[in-house]
Amino acid sequence: LRPSRYDGVVSAVGIVSIAMGVLVICRGVPTLLAPAASLRWFERTTRTNGRIRVLGAFVVAFGATLVWAGASENGSIDLKAQSTLAFLLSLIGWAWVVIGTPSMVLFPSVCRVLIRAIVNAMLSSDATALSRVVGLVRVVLGVLFIYFGALAL
């Protein structure tokens, strides 16, 4: 019996999936427990173009990490050789890179106006129940990312 060359190697898909799950949960729990305070915090965080560019740089970098992790599974970019989790990570990563680069890094003022409009609409109306549902969905998705990431290790 020869040992596999993958013994002792930790899967990049698993690690990045767990990190994604933790980030999704960290963003979902405040929305679930205190939706108005969470929306006000997000509005204050994205108040200036510089802050949006910093957030956009993180989104683009993490999106590129998701793409890399999804494409690195089995050393192939063939879709048939990838697992569903790797394909999902690649898809989300490409969406973050393609959407995050122009909207947050290149044109942050457009993104700021859009964020402000959404936050003001959510704060002015009685959208607390909707915000809590969105927070609950985020927590459930985060737990699923962590679970499937742990299975991929």
Side-chain angles (χ1 to χ4, degrees):
L1 291 172
R2 301 170 88 201
S4 171
R5 67 181 198 158
Y6 295 111
D7 284 346
V9 176
V10 180
S11 169
V13 172
I15 292 173
V16 173
S17 178
I18 291 171
M20 174 81 167
V22 169
L23 286 174
V24 169
I25 288 174
C26 286
R27 184 65 189 112
V29 169
T31 307
L32 179 64
L33 299 178
S38 175
L39 285 170
R40 283 192 302 272
W41 173 84
F42 189 65
E43 194 273 328
R44 281 192 312 270
T45 303
T46 58
R47 191 168 285 165
T48 64
N49 286 349
R51 290 179 180 179
I52 291 178
R53 281 193 173 114
V54 169
L55 181 64
F58 171 77
V59 166
V60 170
F62 196 69
T65 304
L66 292 174
V67 170
W68 166 78
S72 69
E73 185 177 71
N74 295 333
S76 172
I77 60 170
D78 181 22
L79 292 179
K80 294 178 183 177
Q82 288 182 338
S83 67
T84 305
L85 182 60
F87 175 74
L88 187 62
L89 287 178
S90 292
L91 187 68
I92 293 170
W94 277 115
W96 282 17
V97 168
V98 169
I99 293 170
T101 301
S103 67
M104 299 177 88
V105 178
L106 299 178
F107 306 110
S109 58
V110 175
C111 187
R112 188 180 69 217
V113 169
L114 183 64
I115 290 172
R116 183 168 289 152
I118 291 171
V119 168
N120 288 338
M122 295 290 281
L123 286 174
S124 66
S125 69
D126 189 28
T128 305
L130 177 64
S131 295
R132 289 183 191 272
V133 169
V134 168
L136 181 63
V137 168
R138 284 180 177 162
V139 169
V140 169
L141 286 175
V143 168
L144 287 174
F145 268 112
I146 291 173
Y147 175 73
F148 288 114
L151 288 179
L153 291 178

